[in-house]
Amino acid sequence: MPLLGDKKYEIGMIGLGVMGRNLSLNIADHGFWVAGYDKSPAQAEALKKEPAKRDIFATSDLQTFIASLHLPRAILMLVPAGAPVDAVIKDMIPHLDKGDLIIDAGNSHFNDTDLRTEALKEKGILFLGMGISGGEEGARHGPSIMPGGTQEAYERVRPVLEAAAAKVNGEACVAYLGSGSAGHFVKMVHNGIEYGIMQLISETYDMMKRGWNLNDDEIGEVYTAWNKGELNGYLMEISGHIFAKQDVETGKRLIDEILGVAEQNGTGMWTSQSAMELQVPTPTIDLAVSMRDLSVLSIEREQAGMIYRRSMRSLNGSREMFLKQLGHALFVGIITAYAQGMALLAAASKKYKYGLQLEAVARIWRGGCIIRAALLDDILEAFRAKQDLSNLLLDPNLSRKVMEHQEDLRQVVCQAAEVGIPVPGLMASLAYLDSYRSVWLPDNLIQAQRDYFGSHSYERIDTKGVFHTEWEQNEK
């Protein structure tokens, strides 16, 4: 291990919690010299005990940490989003030189990334906003990495990132995504899609548990079987594992001991907010965010259950046939979640001048990240065939798959409504599909109402122009 004052370290890591420590070890395993800093001496000591044959240095002294880095410095941060990021940057600035590079690898809001980029640019310091997906295991063994900022800044650390990233068919799951806050915007949308898929999977769980009275073993077997087909993906894989896990305290299945309240870190909500600002419909993602909010209202839901009593009926017919339909319905729902997210990325790229290549986004999501799935190969090919594809539902291959399964989605939604099992994500996905394919929508009535009460005017189908009607005037 090099000594301080000897050869300098190639990259620094601020924040040595689980993610920071694992990513540091990952980078060091690929032959890079890593210096780590955490204000907690215990965290720094924990990393010091890890190295073995790795070239890693760790300290809880910021000046010592910065002095250990090779010039121009490249410093990764993995600290909580918001004020902690600004606090760390503020502490570092007096010790940095022009040309140094700071990389925020946390889940920062893209607007904050833009502000930090401009503020640091004035001081001659480069800045990358970089999304990382894959959790603890991904950070340790290969995550999906989503950097955005200047090309110059990315090239400075490209060898490190390519080495540490997950690999699919020999390709690193990292790419320069675009200018400004492109990286953090892509990570935000990644998380929004993640919300949508997790909601959809949870609804299939409800249909199997309360609709067919399947036990944990049977449900786990269904997810494991689905993971071997078109639904193959990380979230499907872990769903199969979850139902087999026993609780060490009670000996029961752990899934049955977990409180049904889903928390959120804000990125799903940010996705929905951004979609509304850019006027891109993302109902599957929006519903997923809302359902996490609704899950928190456990006391109110218990009260409502007493007021709106309705016996829960079991589904009937062929269980095998229903599970096949349910899997197909889930597949269509997942396609719509990706379609909505990708449409949002396309709109954001135009609005914020990111220069995103959606083919590259799909490529780096195929490995390491939470939403990695076999479906992403089809999505990659869709954008490879047509770079300016406005919506994945217009792709010939994906539209064929949706058409093959759309009736199964309708049947599942209908059966869920009949027995009273909530499947809002699947319902929203179906409504999105039906609305998107509908040449006519009833919004002429909405526009007439707007003009009636607010003189907002309207356009006509038979002639160009903007019109307003005095709706309460008697016709002569």
Side-chain angles (χ1 to χ4, degrees):
M1 182 183 297
L3 299 173
L4 221 56
D6 192 0
K7 180 177 178 180
K8 299 291 187 177
Y9 292 83
E10 296 165 276
I11 191 158
M13 174 69 71
I14 293 181
L16 301 179
V18 174
M19 286 290 290
R21 182 172 67 252
N22 282 356
L23 188 57
S24 296
L25 293 170
N26 178 354
I27 293 171
D29 282 346
H30 288 89
F32 296 95
W33 294 32
V34 182
Y37 164 78
D38 197 292
K39 63 182 180 180
S40 165
Q43 297 283 34
E45 285 299 318
L47 184 60
K48 282 181 181 180
K49 294 176 182 178
E50 291 271 9
K53 297 180 181 179
R54 304 181 189 95
D55 293 317
I56 295 181
F57 165 73
T59 179
S60 57
D61 183 81
L62 184 61
Q63 286 184 261
T64 301
F65 163 75
I66 293 175
S68 72
L69 297 171
H70 184 276
L71 296 176
R73 303 174 183 90
I75 301 172
L76 270 161
M77 295 191 303
L78 266 167
V79 299
V85 175
D86 291 317
V88 171
I89 292 174
K90 182 180 178 182
D91 289 343
M92 277 196 293
I93 285 176
H95 310 290
L96 299 181
D97 299 311
K98 288 185 178 180
D100 286 347
L101 167 62
I102 298 174
I103 306 167
D104 176 10
N107 277 331
S108 290
H109 193 281
F110 70 98
N111 284 336
D112 291 340
T113 300
D114 285 326
L115 292 172
R116 290 165 186 149
T117 299
E118 290 304 310
L120 290 168
K121 184 178 179 181
E122 294 178 0
K123 301 179 183 298
I125 298 171
L126 300 174
F127 188 71
L128 281 178
M130 189 172 79
I132 294 182
S133 178
E136 298 175 21
E137 284 299 307
R140 183 65 186 87
H141 301 292
S144 175
I145 304 177
M146 296 156 257
T150 66
Q151 185 84 45
E152 174 192 359
Y154 173 69
E155 291 300 326
R156 176 90 63 82
V157 290
R158 180 174 58 82
V160 176
L161 301 181
E162 288 183 347
K167 308 295 187 298
V168 174
N169 300 325
E171 291 184 296
C173 292
V174 60
Y176 172 69
L177 294 178
S179 61
S181 55
H184 275 148
F185 197 96
V186 170
K187 178 54 169 37
M188 177 190 75
V189 174
H190 164 286
N191 286 18
I193 296 171
E194 178 185 306
Y195 273 53
I197 296 174
M198 292 171 73
Q199 173 64 30
L200 293 168
I201 295 174
S202 74
E203 292 174 11
T204 65
Y205 162 47
D206 196 359
M207 290 293 282
M208 288 188 279
K209 181 178 176 66
R210 293 197 290 177
W212 278 98
N213 297 312
L214 268 61
N215 62 37
D216 292 332
D217 283 337
E218 292 169 324
I219 295 171
E221 287 170 3
V222 171
Y223 288 133
T224 299
W226 283 352
N227 191 50
K228 296 176 181 177
E230 63 187 4
L231 284 165
N232 171 264
Y234 176 72
L235 287 169
M236 194 59 59
E237 176 188 339
I238 66 171
S239 295
H241 294 167
I242 285 169
F243 283 87
K245 185 71 172 178
Q246 282 192 317
D247 179 25
V248 295
E249 298 294 330
T250 64
K252 300 177 182 178
R253 293 301 167 90
L254 181 57
I255 184 66
D256 298 318
E257 302 302 311
I258 296 175
L259 186 67
V261 174
E263 298 178 353
Q264 53 182 310
N265 61 12
T267 48
M269 178 184 66
W270 295 346
T271 303
S272 292
Q273 289 174 335
S274 295
M276 291 179 186
E277 290 169 0
L278 294 171
Q279 296 183 304
V280 177
T282 57
T284 305
I285 295 171
D286 300 342
L287 235 303
V289 176
S290 293
M291 289 306 293
R292 292 201 187 187
D293 292 335
L294 187 57
S295 76
V296 176
L297 306 178
S298 55
I299 296 176
E300 291 181 38
R301 287 189 286 109
E302 186 175 347
Q303 293 172 339
M306 297 296 292
I307 297 171
Y308 301 101
R309 288 181 178 274
R310 185 179 189 274
S311 60
M312 180 69 68
R313 290 179 288 168
S314 295
L315 294 165
N316 50 44
S318 168
R319 189 175 84 172
E320 182 180 357
M321 178 63 70
F322 176 80
L323 292 177
K324 184 177 180 181
Q325 290 181 322
L326 186 63
H328 291 166
L330 175 59
F331 188 60
V332 175
I334 290 174
I335 290 175
T336 64
Y338 276 109
Q340 293 162 27
M342 289 298 194
L344 176 56
L345 288 179
S349 185
K350 291 178 182 177
K351 173 71 173 180
Y352 305 126
K353 298 179 173 57
Y354 287 148
L356 289 175
Q357 298 295 317
L358 297 187
E359 176 187 344
V361 174
R363 178 177 63 77
I364 66 175
W365 282 354
R366 292 180 304 158
C369 75
I370 303 302
I371 63 171
R372 62 184 184 268
L375 179 60
L376 279 160
D377 286 324
D378 293 315
I379 295 173
L380 171 63
E381 290 303 319
F383 287 115
R384 182 171 289 167
K386 186 176 175 56
Q387 290 186 358
D388 61 347
L389 182 65
S390 58
N391 193 298
L392 286 171
L393 294 181
L394 300 178
D395 173 68
N397 177 46
L398 287 169
S399 62
R400 175 181 55 80
K401 293 185 177 186
V402 170
M403 286 294 291
E404 288 175 354
H405 296 333
Q406 67 164 323
E407 293 307 318
D408 291 322
L409 175 58
R410 294 183 194 285
Q411 288 299 315
V412 168
V413 167
C414 287
Q415 291 181 67
E418 286 178 358
V419 300
I421 295 176
V423 290
L426 291 170
M427 288 178 171
S429 297
L430 178 59
Y432 176 75
L433 174 61
D434 281 341
S435 298
Y436 192 69
R437 70 179 183 85
S438 183
V439 177
W440 181 86
L441 290 172
D443 294 75
N444 53 334
L445 175 57
I446 294 174
Q447 198 59 23
Q449 291 170 332
R450 294 182 74 243
D451 188 57
Y452 193 114
F453 67 70
S455 299
H456 292 292
S457 75
Y458 56 87
E459 296 177 75
R460 297 179 61 94
I461 61 175
D462 54 356
T463 184
K464 290 185 178 181
V466 177
F467 301 88
H468 166 62
T469 294
E470 295 297 334
W471 295 88
E472 295 186 358
Q473 281 188 355
N474 293 327
E475 294 184 1
K476 295 181 180 181

